[in-house]
Amino acid sequence: MQLELLGKPLILLLWGNEPDMDNTAVVADEERRLRALHQSGSLDGLETRDFEFIVRAAARLCNVPQAFVAFIDRDTVWIKASADYLPFMELPRAGTYGDLALGSTKPIVISDVTSDPRTASNPLTLSHHGFRMYAATAIRTPDGTPIGVLSLLDAHARQLNEDEEEWLDQLGRQASALVEWRRQRRELESALIDHERATRLDTLTGLPNRPWLLAKIEEECQRSQRFGHALALIMFDIDHLGVVNSELGRDSGDAILSRVGRMLRSALRTTDTAGRISGDRFCVVLPNTSADGAATLAETLRGRIEQKAKPLEPALEVTASFGIAATDLGYICTGSNLMAGAGAALERARQEGQNRVVIAERAAG
């Protein structure tokens, strides 16, 4: 049969062959069905635009006033799209008709719900909702597990003709393919996010890595030059980390670095950026901050590291040495200038006994 809508061929998503399985057995394993439903993401704020096309097409091609897509959870039927207005988007599962389609490999058609023994005594039928005919086909995952239904309603008792039933079946397959495509797209988006995080974050501390941080420094320098805002840079090393690694093992050293990463994330403003630029060296970029303001933050961080980043062995101290450079000290605002100034100040802090904050000397000229 040539499938057309509004005089044009309808291109259906490719779905493959009919699953060769007993779907009644699948429905009998309700926990498996529910897992498939939740793994599909169909209940997680799914966009309805494409489903709205499907239900409108189903209503028009099957000559019924109402069609809807619904997903069937443990106790609730969640309606995602309807061809005509519905005053509700969820229904208690008990007493609805959707379960009849879940266990069928083909569309079901109940020509008159008031006389069919499967539905005549159903509370929904007895509520006199105004519909006489009900037809539905299951929406399935690729392995054939039914998770929802595409349903048709008509106020008149009647059968679907052969073309209408074929349309219902094909549009149900379209809805199934759409669910799977959305699931695959979400997986791909999640993988891309994970990949982006892996390329810009240091896995041990959860902070930006050196390449990403250097790019951020240049970005903030450009912003500082454009708007005339101050910009400061803190660079610091963890003192005695090599001793910790040799005395207690690298796992203890890694635990210290991880704690420092958490401290930085909790201490900074949303506009600040901290990163790990080498083994025990960190850098903090502070927009709209003077050298004195950066020194105040550095002193806070120094105290926290001294108090809270110690290893389990109390005889070993963990401290940090800090160097600061800033544009209000006369540094030309480029990443290399600020990094060089902060690095020189950090070296002075180490030479003067460590565990201290040193502000870079004012730039010449």
Side-chain angles (χ1 to χ4, degrees):
M1 179 180 68
Q2 174 68 44
L3 301 181
E4 294 184 350
L5 177 62
L6 303 179
K8 297 181 180 180
L10 178 65
I11 301 175
L12 298 178
L13 297 172
L14 296 178
W15 186 243
N17 296 327
E18 177 92 16
D20 184 15
M21 61 191 304
D22 180 359
N23 288 290
T24 304
V26 172
V27 177
D29 188 352
E30 178 66 1
E31 293 305 316
R32 174 187 168 187
R33 193 194 71 79
L34 291 171
R35 283 196 302 272
L37 169 64
H38 288 273
Q39 289 169 0
S40 75
S42 300
L43 303 182
D44 302 331
L46 197 64
E47 295 179 13
T48 62
R49 198 163 44 243
D50 292 327
F51 285 125
E52 287 172 354
F53 172 81
I54 289 174
V55 295
R56 287 197 300 268
R60 178 159 187 171
L61 294 167
C62 298
N63 300 301
V64 295
Q66 183 62 285
F68 61 90
V69 163
F71 294 96
I72 301 177
D73 205 352
R74 187 184 303 276
D75 300 309
T76 307
V77 175
W78 302 96
I79 297 173
K80 290 296 181 177
S82 60
D84 197 7
Y85 170 75
L86 284 174
F88 45 79
M89 296 305 291
E90 61 183 89
L91 287 169
R93 180 178 178 181
T96 56
Y97 304 145
D99 279 83
L100 297 173
L102 293 184
S104 175
T105 59
K106 297 180 180 180
I108 65 161
V109 181
I110 301 175
S111 60
D112 188 350
V113 296
T114 64
S115 60
D116 191 290
R118 293 172 292 178
T119 55
S121 59
N122 188 295
L124 188 60
T125 305
L126 298 176
S127 68
H128 304 292
H129 48 62
F131 291 100
R132 298 284 297 278
M133 187 275 288
Y134 175 80
T137 189
I139 297 172
R140 305 179 187 280
T141 61
D143 68 355
T145 304
I147 59 174
V149 290
L150 169 62
S151 299
L152 309 177
L153 297 171
D154 198 328
H156 304 287
R158 71 178 186 88
Q159 288 285 350
L160 296 183
N161 63 38
E162 182 178 345
D163 285 350
E164 291 168 342
E165 190 166 336
E166 176 67 11
W167 271 118
L168 176 58
D169 181 59
Q170 292 296 335
L171 289 169
R173 292 171 183 269
Q174 179 85 337
S176 299
L178 179 60
V179 169
E180 174 61 12
W181 177 76
R182 291 263 179 86
R183 185 193 66 78
Q184 292 182 3
R185 187 181 70 176
R186 284 192 300 274
E187 285 189 352
L188 177 60
E189 290 172 347
S190 177
L192 290 173
I193 291 171
D194 290 344
H195 175 71
E196 181 190 7
R197 287 177 58 85
T199 58
R200 71 179 181 87
L201 293 184
D202 171 61
T203 56
L204 181 59
T205 63
L207 298 174
N209 56 25
R210 181 184 180 89
W212 194 90
L213 185 68
L214 293 179
K216 182 65 174 178
I217 294 172
E218 295 297 343
E219 177 186 321
E220 291 298 342
C221 282
Q222 293 175 12
R223 186 175 289 112
S224 172
Q225 292 174 332
R226 186 181 308 123
F227 299 106
H229 297 160
L231 180 66
L233 194 71
I234 298 174
M235 187 181 294
F236 69 94
D237 284 348
I238 306 299
D239 303 326
H240 316 301
L241 189 64
V243 176
V244 173
N245 286 334
S246 62
E247 294 288 335
L248 301 180
R250 187 163 293 277
D251 287 347
S252 294
D254 288 349
I256 291 170
L257 293 172
S258 180
R259 285 186 211 129
V260 171
R262 289 196 298 271
M263 290 178 192
L264 285 170
R265 290 196 298 274
S266 65
L268 301 184
R269 304 169 300 181
T270 56
T271 54
D272 303 333
T273 305
R276 183 186 179 199
I277 57 176
S278 64
D280 63 352
R281 181 161 293 188
F282 295 81
C283 192
V284 184
V285 188
L286 302 169
N288 298 303
T289 304
S290 66
D292 288 341
T296 300
L297 173 61
E299 184 59 37
T300 299
L301 292 172
R302 187 201 63 77
R304 290 186 182 181
I305 290 171
E306 186 175 24
Q307 294 172 10
K308 299 181 179 180
K310 293 181 180 180
L312 296 177
E313 173 53 58
L316 294 175
E317 291 186 353
V318 176
T319 57
S321 301
F322 292 76
I324 293 167
T327 55
D328 65 326
L329 297 175
Y331 282 87
I332 298 174
C333 195
T334 67
S336 58
N337 283 338
L338 290 174
M339 290 280 285
L346 170 57
E347 186 58 30
R348 280 178 48 206
R350 295 175 67 87
Q351 292 174 354
E352 294 174 8
Q354 302 181 324
N355 193 23
R356 66 193 63 228
V357 176
V358 171
I359 298 177
E361 295 180 356
R362 181 169 290 275

